Amino acid sequence: MKKPLIAGNWKMFKTADEAVSLAQGIKAGTYKNQDALVVVCPPFTALHAVCKVLQGSNVSVGAQNMHPETEGAFTGEISPAMIKDLGCRYVILGHSERRQFFHESDTFVNEKVKTALKYSLIPIVCVGETLAQREAQSHLTVVKNQFDVSLADLGKEDILKCVIAYEPVWAIGTGKTATPEQAEQMHAYIRRLLTEKFGAEVSAKIYILYGGSVKPDNIAILIEKPNVDGALVGGASLKTESFCAIVDGATEKCSAGAK
Ligand code: PEP
């Protein structure tokens, strides 16, 4: 059984001081919990301070994005070497807000995934369909294309170092969660794609997170689904109480042998 992985995406919220107090709260709220993998992804401006606060704790730090090049004339961008140097272990790649507002393509996401792996960063690769795509019944095809291109050219050793997050765009920040059945259908489909490409043994080890309006009161019914290994949490990760309640909720359900 895998420990649940709960990652908080703080998006463009929190000054450095605010981020430090949130990180301190989460560190205190999770220090006894050895049964979950906990990750927080603050904005770039707070990474240094949050990495210092969380050094040696149960909570790992991730960045929300990075450029695929190691260095160069890319004004305003941040490289994998830079985030690694600060102490980050994870990096979110291909979030739907990056795709939607910054026109990031699956090919660009794939370049980032490959460089992240070179720097021993664990990419959290996001996939997910829009409402129009779901209504047109094309959600499986859309996610398959994102999967195929974003994870192209990876071998078994590479994919074992990746996390996949299924985030239906219509559920992000809207308060509309996918039903546990909708989430499980897509997670099982992604698991099947992983099995076809990398074999059952590798596929079973890969974390597939669900993201989209996860809250303390819905984590239990999501995490009990067999292919939901954790959650990528936006809004509810911005408060210590709600984020720690999600971590505890997921841990209790998994420790109770619900899956
Ligand atoms: C996200 O931004 O990855 C996300 C899932 O946001 P929210 O939990 O607010 O829907």
Side-chain angles (χ1 to χ4, degrees):
M1 195 193 73
K2 295 187 197 115
K3 293 180 180 183
L5 194 170
I6 307 295
N9 172 12
W10 296 359
K11 308 196 188 199
M12 199 173 71
F13 292 100
K14 307 290 175 190
T15 61
D17 283 352
E18 289 165 349
V20 163
S21 51
L22 179 55
Q24 283 164 336
I26 291 170
K27 180 178 170 181
T30 57
Y31 87 102
K32 284 191 195 147
N33 189 338
Q34 302 294 327
D35 297 323
L37 302 174
V38 185
V39 182
V40 295
C41 302
F44 287 131
T45 47
L47 280 177
H48 180 58
V50 169
C51 282
K52 277 172 85 176
V53 169
L54 295 177
Q55 207 172 17
S57 77
N58 286 342
V59 185
S60 300
V61 182
Q64 297 173 19
N65 182 34
M66 53 164 238
H67 193 274
E69 300 292 329
T70 302
E71 59 180 9
F74 299 103
T75 303
E77 289 294 312
I78 305 284
S79 80
M82 292 168 183
I83 58 177
K84 183 73 188 173
D85 178 52
L86 293 178
C88 288
R89 262 194 93 199
Y90 291 81
V91 59
I92 300 174
L93 297 178
H95 191 281
S96 63
E97 288 152 14
R98 302 288 323 163
R99 294 171 185 268
Q100 190 183 345
F101 302 124
F102 303 98
H103 312 293
E104 292 195 3
S105 66
D106 292 320
T107 310
F108 194 47
V109 174
N110 180 243
E111 281 177 47
K112 295 184 189 205
V113 171
K114 289 191 235 174
T115 337
L117 291 171
K118 270 195 209 149
Y119 281 86
S120 302
L121 289 160
I122 301 172
I124 301 177
V125 184
C126 302
V127 295
E129 80 286 357
T130 62
L131 184 57
Q133 290 163 336
R134 178 160 278 266
E135 285 174 348
Q137 306 288 321
S138 58
H139 47 291
L140 296 180
T141 318
V142 167
V143 168
K144 182 180 184 326
N145 287 341
Q146 292 173 337
F147 175 96
D148 284 342
V149 182
S150 307
L151 301 173
D153 309 321
L154 302 190
K156 287 184 184 179
E157 289 307 314
D158 300 320
I159 196 73
L160 281 167
K161 293 171 198 143
C162 295
V163 170
I164 298 175
Y166 168 56
E167 299 208 304
V169 180
W170 47 271
I172 297 181
T174 59
K176 262 192 221 165
T177 322
T179 63
E181 292 68 34
Q182 285 171 322
E184 175 58 19
Q185 185 206 28
M186 187 61 85
H187 282 232
Y189 180 62
I190 294 170
R191 187 84 64 204
R192 203 176 91 205
L193 296 175
L194 286 166
T195 302
E196 283 166 10
K197 209 164 164 192
F198 303 103
E201 201 185 327
V202 169
S203 170
K205 290 184 182 154
I206 313 274
Y207 274 87
I208 309 176
L209 312 183
Y210 168 78
S213 299
V214 173
K215 305 263 178 317
D217 60 8
N218 61 23
I219 184 65
I221 54 168
L222 289 160
I223 199 80
E224 72 184 1
K225 291 293 174 192
N227 287 292
V228 178
D229 302 314
L232 180 54
V233 186
S237 71
L238 295 171
K239 290 208 167 88
T240 304
E241 300 70 30
S242 49
F243 187 65
C244 292
I246 291 172
V247 173
D248 288 344
T251 313
E252 276 163 31
K253 200 78 196 174
C254 292
S255 308
K259 43 196 297 186

